[in-house]
Amino acid sequence: MRLTNSTPTAWRSGDIGRAPGRAGRFTRSDRHSGTYAEPRALERVADRAAPTALNAEEPARNAAMADPTLKTSRGLREWNDILGAAFTGCVVDAAERRFFGELWTCRIDEMKLARIRAQPSRLGRWLNGTPRQTSGSLLLHLQASGHSISRQRGRSATADPGDGVLCDPDHSYTVEFLTPFEMFVVELPVIGILAREPGFDLERFAGQKVEKRRSQLLLAFLRTAWLQRDCLADDPDWRDCVSRTSVDLAMRAIIKAGGHDAVGASAELRRAVIEHIRNNLLDSGLRTSSIARALNVSPRSVQNVFEGGATTASGFILEQRLARAAERLLSEPGRQSITGLAYDCGFSDSAYFSRCFSRHYGVAPRDYRREGRTTAASRVNSSKR
């Protein structure tokens, strides 16, 4: 879909390094509006935000949140390299080539988390192309400090501290950071959202804010957990609880994007398909064709339900069965054999179940039962870094 901007002047990747305003310079109105800082002011921001000052708040220790990695830039080209590696297709434009920015990244279970601090700038993604393949994920931009304007799918959202804006990473968008800022970027699989709320429609909600009370609570929780991550490392059970709560809060905030639920034929079909899968998950014959027959729709219609999540009906069924098996391995330790558990969760072959479980969780079912969720999850996180 074509990206529409609020201003008639198009922004081009060839403009990188040029300042906004006429003839590539700051205008008097730019300076007095507070939209952009003067070049000297940008230098002062960079000096104040030196790595030693920022890192003094958060000592470099082995962190509970998957050991966040930090990358720092003092040049616009370097910042583009750093951000482009973390978010493919991104290009940043700023007033000065001497550009300071910091990017932390980590993983919390199925959620990827980035924390960004940088100077006023304009970010564009996929403005001159499209991704080679869909990511199957969505982004939630949580404005921790500063102000920004996000534009996607013809929608514009102004974000103040505490606001959260939903973004589709597979379609073009821009984010204009009007001041020095800090932002948390949450990335989650779309299929996980659909499993909780079948009516969720990323295409419809991209570019809209989530309910502010929810985004504020999620942001406050993430910031607190981030600052206390060193003590979380000493308590695996507490760390596991914090990880699950982080993901749960993020998903619940995203589901309420736009302040209302999705409606319409496509949403109703998603609800029907996922409800049918949940009610028949233990049926080893459950597949696309059987779902289509039960709902009196075409197999292609069933497949379309899962395309936005970069998966298939079979992939979703497998993931749900594995999740149920993992839950039972922990809640019912030693009560049932692995073979019996596999059959009870809808698998017709225990060897196939063990292979799929090991591939998904990074550990065999018996070891998962013995070691527990926290140890197994840490293995998965380590393998994905």
Side-chain angles (χ1 to χ4, degrees):
M1 182 175 290
R2 186 174 222 172
L3 181 70
T4 59
N5 296 320
S6 61
T7 56
T9 304
W11 179 76
R12 301 176 299 275
S13 59
D15 293 332
I16 295 175
R18 293 180 58 193
R22 292 183 291 274
R25 297 185 179 182
F26 287 103
T27 64
R28 182 178 298 274
S29 60
D30 289 331
R31 291 196 294 268
H32 290 283
S33 68
T35 299
Y36 295 96
E38 296 181 79
R40 290 183 180 178
L42 290 174
E43 293 177 8
R44 291 195 296 272
V45 169
D47 292 337
R48 288 200 304 270
T52 53
L54 286 176
N55 293 341
E57 175 192 352
E58 299 159 333
R61 302 178 184 177
N62 288 333
M65 301 171 74
D67 299 333
T69 57
L70 168 64
K71 294 185 179 180
T72 306
S73 165
R74 280 192 172 273
L76 184 58
R77 178 176 296 181
E78 185 180 13
W79 184 241
N80 269 287
D81 291 340
I82 291 172
L83 210 61
F87 302 97
T88 307
C90 285
V91 179
V92 179
D93 182 16
E96 292 290 317
R97 290 191 176 276
R98 183 185 178 188
F99 186 93
F100 181 80
E102 288 185 324
L103 171 67
W104 288 268
T105 56
C106 71
R107 178 182 288 272
I108 306 175
D109 285 349
E110 60 190 301
M111 179 173 75
K112 294 180 182 178
L113 181 64
R115 185 181 185 185
I116 304 171
R117 290 176 177 173
Q119 297 173 220
S121 53
R122 189 181 190 196
L123 179 148
R125 192 171 192 182
W126 304 123
L127 298 186
N128 297 316
T130 57
R132 294 182 179 178
Q133 59 184 18
T134 59
S135 64
S137 63
L138 54 78
L139 301 179
L140 176 60
H141 295 165
L142 292 169
Q143 194 82 32
S145 66
H147 307 272
S148 67
I149 301 176
S150 297
R151 298 183 178 92
Q152 187 172 41
R153 293 187 178 276
R155 307 181 186 103
S156 177
T158 301
D160 300 319
D163 284 330
V165 180
L166 194 61
C167 181
D168 182 351
D170 296 327
H171 291 269
S172 61
Y173 64 86
T174 63
V175 183
E176 190 171 1
F177 298 102
L178 307 177
T179 61
F181 70 94
E182 178 181 43
M183 175 177 281
F184 283 78
V185 180
V186 173
E187 181 176 352
L188 282 166
V190 174
I191 202 64
I193 303 295
L194 291 177
R196 298 191 179 205
E197 178 50 63
F200 179 81
D201 188 346
L202 179 57
E203 181 175 348
R204 180 179 180 184
F205 291 155
Q208 296 192 41
K209 291 184 181 180
V210 302
E211 187 181 50
K212 187 155 187 173
R213 291 176 301 175
R214 294 172 182 257
S215 61
Q216 287 178 325
L217 178 58
L218 172 60
L219 178 60
F221 186 87
L222 290 175
R223 295 185 78 167
T224 301
W226 193 287
L227 292 172
Q228 301 298 325
R229 63 185 185 270
D230 54 341
C231 72
L232 292 176
D234 301 327
D235 191 336
D237 292 334
W238 183 237
R239 179 174 69 247
D240 182 52
C241 177
V242 170
S243 296
R244 285 185 283 110
T245 302
S246 299
V247 174
D248 193 45
L249 286 174
M251 286 196 171
R252 290 177 184 274
I254 289 169
I255 286 170
K256 290 298 182 180
H260 54 277
D261 295 326
V263 294
S266 60
E268 289 304 315
L269 177 59
R270 277 197 296 273
R271 290 182 189 276
V273 168
I274 292 179
E275 182 179 357
H276 181 81
I277 290 175
R278 287 173 174 165
N279 292 338
N280 297 275
L281 194 60
L282 305 186
D283 179 6
S284 59
L286 183 65
R287 52 181 52 87
T288 301
S289 57
S290 66
I291 298 170
R293 285 195 301 272
L295 300 179
N296 196 28
V297 296
S298 69
R300 181 58 184 167
S301 296
V302 176
Q303 294 168 0
N304 289 341
V305 168
F306 300 97
E307 281 190 347
T311 187
T312 62
S314 298
F316 180 75
I317 292 168
L318 175 61
E319 184 176 311
Q320 294 299 299
R321 285 173 173 165
L322 290 174
R324 179 169 295 190
E327 182 179 349
R328 290 187 56 180
L329 282 169
L330 298 184
S331 63
E332 305 172 6
R335 290 185 56 185
Q336 190 176 30
S337 67
I338 299 299
T339 298
L341 177 67
Y343 291 143
D344 282 355
C345 290
F347 291 90
S348 57
D349 185 334
S350 61
Y352 173 70
F353 161 70
S354 295
R355 288 197 302 272
C356 291
F357 192 96
S358 299
R359 185 163 57 246
H360 187 75
Y361 288 100
V363 62
R366 284 188 176 82
D367 294 331
Y368 188 92
R369 170 184 277 167
R370 183 175 61 252
E371 297 176 3
R373 171 189 167 89
T374 300
T375 303
S378 65
R379 288 189 180 187
V380 175
N381 291 338
S382 299
S383 66
K384 291 180 178 179
R385 282 184 228 163

